[in-house]
């Protein structure tokens, strides 16, 4: 048994590359864009660490050019979703009992793979599958996702360090454990970084997860799932199950062992999930924790000292950059 004391230092934000003319990152990205366009792929489900293919498939296309097909992905049905739940439950005990620093190393390794040898691959997939320009893809699927993978283990450490005060003759200690069941994660089309964060954040603290990626962001999400596996994520900890929302709701959200729901998407969908959980509340093993981020644009309050030209630029970008599909 290890008795070392391990500490993660406060990370630094991943530097943003500029993709300027003549730069090596620009050349690598252009080559990868050409490669992915010329080589459509087949994306399986990943359940219990195994690639699963069903009889139901859908195409992945470029939103900006519907004639360009990036490949096809397999769609999970009721049988595959139930299998994923079984895989999550089977992996739970060993994963939860793994030392937190060992879990953390997997995600820290994933960040290094993402920002290293797979940087061009993930950026190109985000550009082609979600219609982002090089700068938008860089700050999303590379820098922000890498920051999630590095800062979240640090924050896990800080949470675990929080302990109650002691009294005379008493040493009070708190141990943190995972939820009593699995976590369901539904992720959005507009940010691959959120796609990667919603399943990995609960996994870092010992939970096992069913991950339903957006049907219009499968490609980059799948490549990130491959990175997690290469980084050492054990089978069944995160199960990658592209599927129809109605099937996920019927099979997964209503399952007695769903202990957490992690979501970014529309307000209407989250309201529907909340209603569904309420209608099934007497069936659950525990009260599910619901975390949802939903859509909307903010008011802008401007101080009289503001730089009007910079403000105008920021307002236009906030409203219309990436077709207005940003938070």
């Amino acid at each position: 048994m290890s008795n070392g004391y391990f500490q993660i230092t406060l990370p630094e934000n991943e530097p943003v590359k500029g993709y300027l003319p003549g730069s090596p990152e620009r050349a690598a990205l252009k080559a990868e864009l050409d490669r992915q366009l010329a080589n459509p792929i087949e994306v399986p489900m990943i359940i219990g660490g195994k690639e699963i293919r069903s009889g139901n498939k859908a195409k992945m296309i470029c939103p900006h050019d519907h004639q360009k097909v990036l490949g096809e992905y397999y769609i999970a049905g009721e049988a595959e979703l139930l299998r994923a739940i079984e895989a999550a439950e089977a992996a739970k005990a060993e994963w939860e009992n793994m030392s937190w620093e060992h879990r953390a190393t997997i995600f820290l390794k994933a960040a290094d793979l993402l920002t290293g040898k797979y940087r061009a691959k993930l950026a190109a997939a985000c550009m082609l599958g979600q219609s982002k320009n090089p700068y938008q893809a860089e700050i999303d699927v590379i820098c922000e996702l890498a920051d999630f993978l590095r800062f979240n283990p640090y924050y896990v450490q800080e949470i675990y360090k929080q302990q109650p005060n002691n009294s005379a003759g008493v040493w009070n200690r708190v141990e943190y454990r995972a939820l009593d069941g699995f976590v369901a994660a539904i992720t959005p089309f507009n940010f691959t970084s959120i796609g990667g964060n919603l399943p990995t954040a609960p996994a870092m603290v010992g939970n096992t997860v069913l991950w339903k990626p957006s049907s219009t962001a499968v490609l980059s999400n799948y490549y990130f799932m491959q990175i997690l596996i290469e980084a050492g994520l054990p089978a069944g900890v995160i199960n990658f199950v592209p599927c129809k929302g109605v099937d996920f709701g019927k099979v997964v959200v209503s399952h007695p062992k769903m202990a957490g729901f992690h979501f970014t998407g529309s307000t209407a969908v989250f309201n529907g999930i909340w209603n569904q959980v309420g209608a099934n509340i007497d069936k659950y093993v525990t009260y599910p924790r619901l975390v949802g981020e939903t859509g909307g644009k903010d008011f802008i309050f401007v101080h009289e000292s503001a730089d009007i030209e910079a403000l105008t630029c920021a307002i236009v970008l906030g409203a219309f950059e990436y077709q207005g599909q940003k938070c």
Side-chain angles (χ1 to χ4, degrees):
M1 179 178 177
S2 172
N3 61 1
Y5 180 80
F6 308 100
Q7 185 167 3
I8 299 173
T9 58
L10 180 65
E12 295 183 359
N13 294 108
E14 175 66 21
V16 180
K17 293 184 180 295
Y19 295 91
L20 299 176
S23 65
E25 65 267 18
R26 186 185 183 96
L29 181 58
K30 290 181 70 175
E32 182 62 23
L33 287 166
D34 291 339
R35 189 195 69 78
Q36 291 189 24
L37 281 172
N39 297 279
I41 70 164
E42 185 180 83
V43 174
M45 297 165 267
I46 300 177
I47 299 173
K50 297 179 179 179
E51 295 186 354
I52 305 296
R53 292 167 174 83
S54 65
N56 195 5
K57 292 193 292 185
K59 290 182 178 180
M60 300 179 293
I61 62 173
C62 294
H64 51 276
D65 187 346
H66 292 182
Q67 303 308 308
K68 293 179 179 177
V69 179
L70 302 171
E72 295 181 316
Y73 68 93
Y74 285 91
I75 300 173
E78 182 175 352
E80 291 80 19
L81 292 171
L82 288 172
R83 182 173 176 177
I85 292 171
E86 292 175 0
E89 287 293 287
K92 181 175 174 57
E94 185 174 355
W95 179 245
E96 181 180 4
N97 290 320
M98 181 183 292
S99 298
W100 74 268
E101 69 273 9
H102 290 172
R103 293 197 302 263
T105 59
I106 294 169
F107 302 102
L108 295 174
K109 175 66 174 178
D112 291 344
L113 291 171
L114 173 66
T115 56
K117 67 177 182 176
Y118 293 120
R119 194 180 199 111
K121 184 175 184 177
L122 268 292
C126 188
M127 290 176 65
L128 294 173
Q130 291 149 271
S131 293
K132 296 201 174 189
N133 64 36
Y135 180 70
Q136 291 166 341
E138 169 76 2
I139 60 176
D140 172 18
V141 70
I142 306 302
C143 299
E144 186 171 353
L145 182 49
D147 286 351
F148 279 135
L149 294 169
R150 290 171 176 150
F151 279 86
N152 283 354
Y154 172 81
Y155 293 136
V156 168
Q157 167 189 270
E158 296 305 295
I159 290 172
Y160 287 168
K161 284 166 59 176
Q162 296 177 23
Q163 294 292 323
N165 293 328
N166 301 316
S167 56
V170 176
W171 182 15
N172 294 313
R173 297 187 298 169
V174 169
E175 291 187 2
Y176 295 82
R177 62 183 180 88
L179 299 176
D180 293 323
F182 64 87
V183 172
I186 296 182
T187 61
F189 76 94
N190 59 342
F191 281 95
T192 302
S193 55
I194 301 175
N197 183 47
L198 296 194
T200 57
M204 289 179 190
V205 291
N207 294 291
T208 54
V209 183
L210 268 66
W211 175 16
K212 179 201 172 303
S214 169
S215 60
T216 50
V218 173
L219 185 62
S220 62
N221 287 201
Y222 170 65
Y223 284 150
F224 177 62
M225 183 69 193
Q226 288 187 314
I227 287 176
L228 292 174
I229 293 171
E230 183 173 336
L233 187 73
V237 171
I238 295 176
N239 299 277
F240 184 79
V241 284
C243 64
K244 296 179 180 178
V246 63
D247 291 334
F248 196 84
K250 181 177 69 173
V251 178
V252 178
V253 175
S254 61
H255 195 279
K257 295 303 292 291
M258 192 191 78
F261 183 77
H262 214 187
F263 174 82
T264 293
S266 75
T267 302
V269 170
F270 191 57
N271 287 348
I273 294 294
W274 199 290
N275 281 325
Q276 185 179 356
V277 170
N280 287 277
I281 199 67
D282 60 333
K283 299 179 182 179
Y284 296 114
V285 172
T286 184
Y287 290 111
R289 277 69 165 176
L290 308 181
V291 179
E293 176 195 13
T294 62
K297 289 292 184 181
D298 301 332
F299 291 100
I300 298 174
F301 295 93
V302 181
H303 192 267
E304 61 182 9
S305 64
D307 181 325
I308 299 301
E309 184 176 355
L311 170 69
T312 303
C313 179
I315 290 174
V316 172
L317 288 176
F320 298 110
E321 188 182 29
Y322 189 45
Q323 302 90 48
Q325 296 167 161
K326 286 188 170 184
C327 308

